[in-house]
Amino acid sequence: MTTPRRATAKRSAPGREVPPWQPLLAFFVLLAVVYGLIAFTGGGSFEPKLGIDLQGGTRVTLTARTEDGKKPTKEQLDQAKQIIETRVNARGVAGSEVVINGDNLIITVPGEDGRQAQTLGQTARLYVRPVEGSVPATPQKAKPPAPKNTDTSVSEETARQIAEQRKLRQAPANATEARLAELRAQMTKVDCSTDSSDPLLGNDLSDQYLVSCSQDGKEVYLLGPQIIDGRDVKTASSVLSSQSGRWVVNVEFKGAARDFWPKYTGQNTGKQTAFTLDSRVVSAPQINGAITTPSTEISGNFTQTEADDLANILKYGSLPLSFKSSDTESVSATLGLASLKAGLIAGLVGLIAVAIYALAYYRMLGFLSIASLILAGAMVYGIIVLLGRWIGFTLDLAGIAGLIIGIGMTADSFVVYFERIKDEIRDGRTFRSSVPRGWVSARRTVWTGNAVSLIAAVVIYALAVGEVRGFAFTLGLTTILDVVIVFLVTHPLVVLATRSEFLSRPSVNGLGAVSEVARSRREARRKAVARHAADQNAAAQNEGAKR
């Protein structure tokens, strides 16, 4: 006797699911890790970094200086702006701005400290020079402050000052001993104070001897002609030295410099070699032996920020012009704060309206939606605080717009999921059996929709500049978190709700009861399946009787 085959439904039931407490536990562990990092790193501040339009900032005007005193060309200014923008973008989504205004570059950075803008505007002419001698810097008499020059155009006076300093502090490579003696005498007369205005900064001739100060103003060096140019730097990175416990910059050379450096260090063991940046000595280490490793360490009394800045400007090359900081001013955030207040009020009204609609339409599931949105907001806020510390991310109005849109997309994912469950209930199934089946179809839609949004955010971030990058960044961040929330929070909560007899009631969960039409259709399908199985069984019995 042949055993009849069972008739199968059109859609197979989903496989065994992970217990809902496991993804929920994973999410709360992630949330605890995020806020634990906030509490125990970076001073424990729970406030994110704000952009220029929300907290104000500092605007620094950098006046271009040319060696011949002529006006810089448009090509030179455009190239300088492009390099500085590259340096800005390498710092992360910090909200800095770079614009050309006549012969000046205007850099605006968040916060009240203009040091970052001045660092971004460094010419970054790096040379490696042999040290011919050094003496402690001699304090010079204080000079009366120069009157503020309201005319920021480049004048011939700058060219005259550069030429004068070259005569005093530079000499050709074939200079006589008498000329070198004059340079050594000049070492005690150089003003190395950090607030001094040195016209030679970034304008030294690299193929000549140079009298130069250290960056901290404590030492004066007599340096030989350069042996390696900064254009031979392949890459640079800041690291925390395991030996000294201080921040250093690792530089890797390329081309002929890569082959020359091991030979030079092997032949000059015991001598000092200086790394100069814009005519100032950053580091003058003693050579202890041949350096055969790919990277060379530039050490100094660097903070982490200073090491990051130095590696950043070395990595992207020197500017075609040297710049002098001619003006620094604060930028007010009054307009931005007023816009933020209006936007937050509008956003709050919208969220309240969404919450009321969710509660009225989905009832119990509306509470799950609100709880999921609150947890999503908590996770987003914590990550933004950490990103402000780690990559310099600053939150501006455009970034807030990206957050609002991203959170709205998260609410859309809830609607997609809940409507799939309602479709299954309309098909005659119970709440408990509808959830896993609805989840199978809903998660594909959630994956697809968020993938499209993430691709759009990545493309905008790659092609845009300024505030638009902040919008794309927060949109991409909330898109990723949307998937995390739906998979680790919302779906497990709904699964837990199906195990409650009270929450499974149609009047409570807001999904509606199984309609009589759905019941009749389901009963008809059941009878049809049973009738088909009986027919097959009878046919098998008749076939057996004939045999």
Side-chain angles (χ1 to χ4, degrees):
M1 180 175 176
T2 306
T3 303
R5 293 177 299 174
R6 293 182 180 178
T8 58
K10 292 183 179 180
R11 284 183 295 182
S12 59
R16 181 178 179 274
E17 287 204 353
V18 176
W21 63 267
Q22 291 183 2
L24 281 172
L25 178 62
F27 175 81
F28 282 107
V29 167
L30 289 175
L31 191 64
V33 168
V34 169
Y35 280 88
L37 290 173
I38 295 175
F40 298 107
T41 63
S45 174
F46 283 80
E47 295 182 0
K49 287 187 176 181
L50 300 179
I52 299 170
D53 52 358
L54 298 182
Q55 71 158 333
T58 303
R59 179 176 293 127
V60 177
T61 301
L62 302 177
T63 302
R65 302 188 301 182
T66 58
E67 297 182 4
D68 55 8
K70 296 181 180 179
K71 293 173 67 68
T73 64
K74 183 179 183 299
E75 290 74 16
Q76 288 175 317
L77 289 171
D78 288 339
Q79 184 181 358
K81 177 178 180 291
Q82 182 179 2
I83 293 175
I84 292 178
E85 284 180 340
T86 305
R87 295 175 181 176
V88 169
N89 293 335
R91 301 177 65 91
V93 191
S96 301
E97 299 174 352
V98 184
V99 296
I100 298 177
N101 183 15
D103 297 335
N104 305 324
L105 285 182
I106 300 178
I107 305 176
T108 308
V109 297
E112 300 178 355
D113 184 8
R115 183 197 59 80
Q116 178 188 351
Q118 295 172 351
T119 300
L120 292 171
Q122 277 189 280
T123 309
R125 295 179 63 186
L126 174 73
Y127 296 115
V128 181
R129 293 172 174 266
V131 176
E132 302 294 335
S134 63
V135 296
T138 304
Q140 304 295 314
K141 293 182 179 180
K143 298 179 181 179
K148 184 175 180 179
N149 182 16
T150 57
D151 182 10
T152 58
S153 62
V154 178
S155 64
E156 294 183 358
E157 177 65 17
T158 301
R160 185 191 66 78
Q161 293 175 353
I162 293 173
E164 180 181 320
Q165 287 298 316
R166 282 179 179 166
K167 289 181 181 179
L168 295 174
R169 296 162 52 189
Q170 292 209 259
N174 58 354
T176 62
E177 282 298 325
R179 177 63 181 133
L180 293 178
E182 292 177 357
L183 291 182
R184 291 189 178 91
Q186 187 66 28
M187 293 170 67
T188 60
K189 302 177 182 178
V190 176
D191 185 4
C192 288
S193 57
T194 54
D195 58 349
S196 64
S197 178
D198 187 355
L200 198 60
L201 292 182
N203 294 303
D204 61 300
L205 299 178
S206 60
D207 59 349
Q208 295 190 8
Y209 285 91
L210 171 69
V211 174
S212 175
C213 300
S214 61
Q215 281 195 325
D216 58 8
K218 296 180 180 180
E219 200 82 10
V220 183
Y221 294 89
L222 174 60
L223 307 175
Q226 62 95 3
I227 54 176
I228 293 180
D229 193 321
R231 289 173 292 186
D232 295 324
V233 172
K234 179 180 179 181
T235 185
S237 60
S238 59
V239 296
L240 186 63
S241 175
S242 58
Q243 297 179 351
S244 63
R246 295 181 177 180
W247 284 93
V248 298
V249 177
N250 283 340
V251 175
E252 185 176 344
F253 298 115
K254 62 183 179 180
R258 180 183 55 194
D259 301 326
F260 169 78
W261 185 238
K263 297 178 182 178
Y264 177 82
T265 53
Q267 296 171 358
N268 292 272
T269 300
K271 297 182 180 179
Q272 279 184 287
T273 304
F275 290 84
T276 66
L277 183 68
D278 292 347
S279 309
R280 292 245 177 182
V281 176
V282 176
S283 177
Q286 181 176 326
I287 300 175
N288 296 322
I291 301 177
T292 58
T293 56
S295 61
T296 298
E297 181 181 287
I298 302 178
S299 59
N301 295 321
F302 299 135
T303 63
Q304 180 179 358
T305 302
E306 291 170 344
D308 290 341
D309 290 341
L310 178 57
N312 183 22
I313 58 181
L314 294 181
K315 187 186 304 182
Y316 297 107
S318 60
L319 301 178
L321 299 164
S322 63
F323 290 89
K324 176 184 179 181
S325 177
S326 57
D327 189 24
T328 302
E329 60 179 340
S330 297
V331 180
S332 173
T334 304
L335 179 61
L337 290 175
S339 301
L340 175 62
K341 183 178 180 180
L344 290 178
I345 293 175
L348 182 61
V349 171
L351 287 175
I352 292 175
V354 169
I356 294 174
Y357 177 82
L359 292 174
Y361 192 73
Y362 291 115
R363 301 178 190 176
M364 177 274 298
L365 293 182
F367 283 105
L368 298 186
S369 301
I370 295 172
S372 299
L373 288 175
I374 292 174
L375 292 175
M379 180 65 81
V380 167
Y381 185 85
I383 291 177
I384 287 177
V385 173
L386 290 179
L387 291 178
R389 298 178 185 175
W390 293 346
I391 66 171
F393 173 76
T394 56
L395 186 63
D396 53 17
L397 288 175
I400 292 175
L403 290 177
I404 294 175
I405 293 175
I407 293 177
M409 291 172 56
T410 303
D412 288 342
S413 298
F414 301 159
V415 172
V416 169
Y417 181 24
F418 298 158
E419 289 301 314
R420 292 291 188 273
I421 298 175
K422 293 184 73 172
D423 289 342
E424 297 295 332
I425 292 179
R426 292 190 190 101
D427 212 24
R429 294 184 176 87
T430 63
F431 178 37
R432 185 160 188 169
S433 63
S434 298
V435 167
R437 294 175 181 273
W439 172 244
V440 170
S441 58
R443 66 188 180 191
R444 290 196 297 267
T445 306
V446 172
W447 274 116
T448 304
N450 282 287
V452 173
S453 298
L454 183 60
I455 292 173
V458 170
V459 171
I460 294 173
Y461 183 85
L463 299 180
V465 295
E467 294 181 350
V468 181
R469 287 172 64 91
F471 168 81
F473 186 87
T474 54
L475 178 61
L477 175 63
T478 50
T479 300
I480 295 173
L481 288 178
D482 176 18
V483 177
V484 174
I485 290 295
V486 172
F487 278 74
L488 299 186
V489 177
T490 309
H491 175 57
L493 287 177
V494 174
V495 172
L496 289 175
T498 63
R499 300 178 180 180
S500 169
E501 183 178 350
F502 173 75
L503 297 178
S504 297
R505 297 176 182 175
S507 59
V508 175
N509 59 37
L511 296 175
V514 180
S515 65
E516 291 301 324
V517 175
R519 288 181 186 276
S520 61
R521 288 178 179 175
R522 185 176 182 184
E523 183 65 20
R525 283 197 302 269
R526 188 187 67 79
K527 291 180 179 180
V529 170
R531 194 163 45 245
H532 179 70
D535 292 342
Q536 284 188 333
N537 191 22
Q541 289 178 354
N542 291 334
E543 185 68 23
K546 290 180 180 180
R547 291 179 182 178

